[in-house]
Amino acid sequence: MRGIAWLYRLNGHFAGRLLTTGVAIAVTFQPYFWLNDTLPPRFDFLTPLDVAIPFLPWTYAIYSSFFALLLGAAWLLDAREYLRMLAAVLLANAVCYLGFFLFTAHYPRPPLESIPPGFWREQFRQMHASDNAGNTFPSIHVATTLLGALRLRHHRGGALWMLWAALISLSTLTVKQHYLVDVLGGFAVAWVIHAWMFRRTGQALAPVAAGPSVEEARP
């Protein structure tokens, strides 16, 4: 219980929540990159609708704003709710990793030469160099974004967080990182995990098994 109390104290401040998030990201990146670098593609989820969706390099700005949305969650949510959301995100990561393993697919990205020389080509060059074309289904980008927005909608900004999450999800298609089915899969993962982790809708926090508050956990 003291360890839990220490974790709540650490995350009682924005800086502590940033530290916790950084550690969680560092840990989850290890299996993510291993799966992406190791597994050969076995499925092709490309549909005529995927082909019809235009490639819009400038929407990379929306795609990468995913990190800013997570910062918003760290700023607005209190320690208990933020840790609960982070636990939901880690569970979503695990589910997505299983999907990457079972339904390995690589998105056929447009060549860099199709982007005019300049700022956006450089952003895509860096992204393609650090993140291979695998790990598509379900979209971990969409699942994590939606989980954050589902908690933030109860706070200042309300439905704007959901709109932002929707735009980020759409951008995964227009930067040609994901198939349409990946986005739908990410939505499903987020909704199911959120419904399980936060059972009482409309409350800032309603955990399945809430940890003690800092005051309750003090000896």
Side-chain angles (χ1 to χ4, degrees):
M1 299 298 288
R2 291 189 179 186
I4 295 176
W6 175 85
L7 188 60
Y8 276 87
R9 288 193 187 97
L10 173 64
N11 287 272
H13 304 280
F14 177 61
R17 292 192 287 275
L18 286 183
L19 176 61
T20 302
T21 304
V23 171
I25 290 175
V27 170
T28 57
F29 268 6
Q30 303 310 308
Y32 177 90
F33 286 122
W34 183 85
L35 290 167
N36 209 1
D37 295 340
T38 304
L39 300 178
R42 296 185 293 115
F43 292 87
D44 182 2
F45 297 129
L46 195 69
T47 67
L49 186 55
D50 289 296
V51 175
I53 295 173
F55 175 42
L56 304 174
W58 62 268
T59 58
Y60 178 81
I62 301 173
Y63 178 82
S64 58
S65 72
F66 152 86
F67 296 103
L69 188 145
L70 293 182
L71 285 176
W75 178 259
L76 289 175
L77 302 184
D78 62 29
R80 182 178 295 192
E81 185 173 10
Y82 187 73
L83 287 173
R84 198 66 179 175
M85 188 208 78
L86 198 58
V89 167
L90 292 176
L91 179 57
N93 273 252
V95 173
C96 289
Y97 294 158
L98 181 62
F100 300 160
F101 180 78
L102 295 176
F103 306 103
T104 310
H106 287 189
Y107 195 95
R109 293 165 164 172
L112 288 175
E113 292 72 21
S114 66
I115 307 172
F119 178 78
W120 295 120
R121 180 188 284 191
E122 177 59 20
Q123 301 311 304
F124 277 83
R125 186 195 67 77
Q126 294 180 20
M127 180 173 67
H128 290 182
S130 62
D131 188 14
N132 287 336
N135 288 357
T136 67
F137 178 83
S139 171
I140 205 168
H141 206 87
V142 170
T144 301
T145 299
L146 185 56
L147 280 169
L150 284 170
R151 299 320 304 159
L152 286 166
R153 64 177 173 163
H154 299 296
H155 297 266
R156 186 170 53 195
L160 291 178
W161 295 105
M162 296 298 292
L163 175 61
W164 189 359
L167 291 174
I168 292 174
S169 299
L170 180 62
S171 74
T172 66
L173 300 172
T174 57
V175 300
K176 298 301 180 179
Q177 279 287 99
H178 282 285
Y179 302 99
L180 180 60
V181 69
D182 303 340
V183 175
L184 298 177
F187 279 148
V189 169
W191 280 109
V192 170
I193 290 177
H194 185 270
W196 180 62
M197 296 285 284
F198 300 90
R199 288 183 178 176
R200 299 175 203 161
T201 59
Q203 295 186 10
L205 177 67
V208 174
S213 65
V214 173
E215 290 73 15
E216 293 170 340
R218 285 175 182 162

